[in-house]
Amino acid sequence: MSVPETQVTNDELSTRLDTSDEWIRSRTGIRSRHIASPADSVAGLGTEAAVQALKSAKVEASDVDMIILATTSPDHFMPATATQIQQNLNAKNACAFDIQAVCSGFLYALSIADQFIRTGSASNVLVIGAEIMSRMVDWSDRSTCILFGDGAGAVLLGKREQPGILSTRLYSDGAGYDMLYSDVSDAAFPRGKVVMNGRAVYSTAVEVMEESIRAALAQNELDVSDVDWLILHQANKRIIESVATRLGLPFEKVVVTIESFANTSSATIPISLALTDLKRGELVVLSSMGAGFTWGAAVLRW
Ligand code: ACO
C-alpha cells in the first residue's frame, strides 16, 4: 500500500469548515485521512503499491502479463493511468488498462484478473486500486469532503493448482446513478465534484453488502461461521458495523481501517488487506458498494 505523506485530522478540517472531530468521528469513524500534494499522482501511488506487491510475491515486473488499475480519479481521462504504471515498473510484457466501478473497482478488477487466470490467458496479474479523491471533492461542502482520503493498494495474482479466489460476484443497478455522482456543471471543478444522497447510499450499502456476502458464501457451501476475516469497503464505520451485526459476525473478525485513511474509494480493500495479518488458509470475505450503484463480494482462501 502507499499513501501520501500529509495527514489531515478532523481538528484541522474544523478550522476551515463548520464541523467538528466529534461529529465526524461519531457519524463515520474517521479521525484523519492522507491527502495528496500537487506533486502526487495516482500513477505514483499505484506504482509504489505495485512495487511492494511484486516484491512480496517475488515476481519480476517483466513476468507480469496484465496490469488492471481500478480508479475513479485517473491522472488523465486518456490514456489509461495503468499504462503510466506499466512504464514506471518497466513491465514490458504486460497489457495495462483502467477500470471504473468507483468504490467497487478493486473487486471488479480482482474478478477480471481471476477470469484471465482461470482460462489460462494470464499467469501474473497486478490488480491495483489507486485514488486521489481529494481532487474530486468540493472542500467547502462539509457533508462530502470529510469522508474521503487518498491512497493506493495492490495485489499480485498468480496461477496456482488450488485457487485462492474461491469465487467473486459482481452486481450493479443504474437506478442508483444519480444518488452519487460527479457533477461537471461547475467550471471551477474540471474533474467534477462529488454529489451524494448520503442516507440512500448508507441504507443501500448495508443491504446489498449483506446480501452479496450471503450469496457468495452460499455459492461455496460456506457459512458465516467459517469466515476468519471480513474486509469491507471503508466508507463509514457504522455501515461496517451494521453489516457485521446483520451477518452475526463477531467484530474481532472485521477489519476497520477507516479511522486513519477515510474512504479511499477503490483503494480501501487493498489497503485493508495490506494492514491485516492474514495467515495461510484463512477464509477472507471481501465486499464493497459504490456509486452506480455497483457492488459485489469475493471469497478467498488466503
Ligand atoms: N459536520 C457537522 N455537521 C454536518 C456535517 C459535518 N461534516 N455534514 C453534515 N452535517 C449536518 C447536516 O447539515 C445536517 O444538519 P441539519 O440537520 O441542520 O440539516 C445534519 O448534520 C445531519 O446530516 P445528515 O446528512 O442527515 O447526516 P447523516 O447522519 O446521514 O450522516 C453521512 C451523513 C455521514 C454522510 C452518512 O449519510 C453516510 O455516511 N452515508 C454514506 C455515504 C458514504 O459513505 N459515501 C461515500 C461514498 S459511497 C461509498 O463509498 C459507499
Side-chain angles (χ1 to χ4, degrees):
M1 62 170 280
S2 170
V3 289
E5 236 176 81
T6 307
Q7 261 179 291
V8 178
T9 63
N10 294 344
D11 284 330
E12 280 171 78
L13 283 183
S14 58
T15 63
R16 334 179 205 137
L17 281 169
D18 182 13
T19 189
S20 65
D21 176 54
E22 201 283 315
W23 195 96
I24 300 172
R25 254 190 311 114
S26 62
R27 301 289 175 120
T28 71
I30 299 165
R31 289 169 188 272
S32 68
R33 69 285 290 139
H34 290 255
I35 298 291
S37 71
D40 286 314
S41 65
V42 170
L45 293 170
T47 301
E48 282 172 26
V51 165
Q52 291 173 36
L54 288 172
K55 199 174 156 201
S56 113
K58 299 187 179 67
V59 168
E60 296 296 326
S62 56
D63 291 328
V64 173
D65 310 302
M66 182 177 280
I67 300 171
I68 313 177
L69 171 67
T71 189
T72 311
S73 49
D75 291 328
H76 301 99
F77 286 114
M78 65 173 273
T81 302
T83 59
Q84 180 68 65
I85 296 176
Q86 173 186 22
Q87 171 75 358
N88 295 346
L89 295 172
N90 197 21
K92 284 195 185 309
N93 300 313
C95 66
F97 56 95
D98 293 357
I99 64 129
Q100 153 65 303
V102 202
C103 300
S104 304
F106 181 79
L107 273 190
Y108 271 62
L110 194 76
S111 184
I112 294 167
D114 184 37
Q115 311 313 315
F116 271 92
I117 289 175
R118 280 176 192 270
T119 59
S121 305
S123 300
N124 289 309
V125 183
L126 258 177
V127 179
I128 307 165
E131 305 276 10
I132 298 189
M133 294 304 290
S134 61
R135 295 182 187 153
M136 293 187 62
V137 292
D138 175 356
W139 284 95
S140 66
D141 176 7
R142 67 178 184 175
S143 67
T144 53
C145 74
I146 53 125
L147 298 170
F148 295 98
D150 303 331
V155 298
L156 191 279
L157 295 190
K159 208 166 149 180
R160 292 289 181 276
E161 265 177 35
Q162 285 296 319
I165 299 181
L166 303 186
S167 68
T168 56
R169 294 180 72 93
L170 306 177
Y171 308 80
S172 59
D173 180 1
Y177 191 88
D178 56 3
M179 293 292 138
L180 180 55
Y181 63 98
S182 92
D183 175 9
V184 288
S185 64
D186 185 340
F189 294 89
R191 291 171 157 266
K193 61 180 176 189
V194 172
V195 175
M196 175 181 78
N197 178 334
R199 296 236 162 143
V201 173
Y202 190 110
S203 54
T204 309
V206 172
E207 251 171 59
V208 300
M209 283 198 285
E210 183 201 352
E211 269 170 31
S212 59
I213 291 165
R214 287 197 187 280
L217 286 171
Q219 189 179 3
N220 293 288
E221 293 173 5
L222 291 164
D223 187 72
V224 171
S225 60
D226 297 314
V227 175
D228 293 303
W229 294 103
L230 178 64
I231 301 186
L232 298 180
H233 169 52
Q234 309 280 308
N236 184 316
K237 194 176 176 189
R238 290 190 299 154
I239 294 178
I240 297 168
E241 286 169 353
S242 296
V243 174
T245 304
R246 288 165 72 131
L247 288 169
L249 194 73
F251 289 141
E252 61 267 21
K253 295 185 171 187
V254 182
V255 176
V256 178
T257 57
I258 191 171
E259 284 112 334
S260 313
F261 301 98
N263 181 349
T264 55
S265 192
S266 67
T268 67
I269 289 182
I271 285 176
S272 299
L273 281 169
L275 292 170
T276 308
D277 185 20
L278 301 168
K279 305 269 186 328
R280 286 269 165 264
E282 286 183 327
L283 192 79
V284 184
V285 172
L286 313 177
S287 181
S288 66
M289 182 272 186
F293 293 129
T294 55
W295 68 97
V299 182
L300 322 178
R301 182 66 71 186
W302 196 254

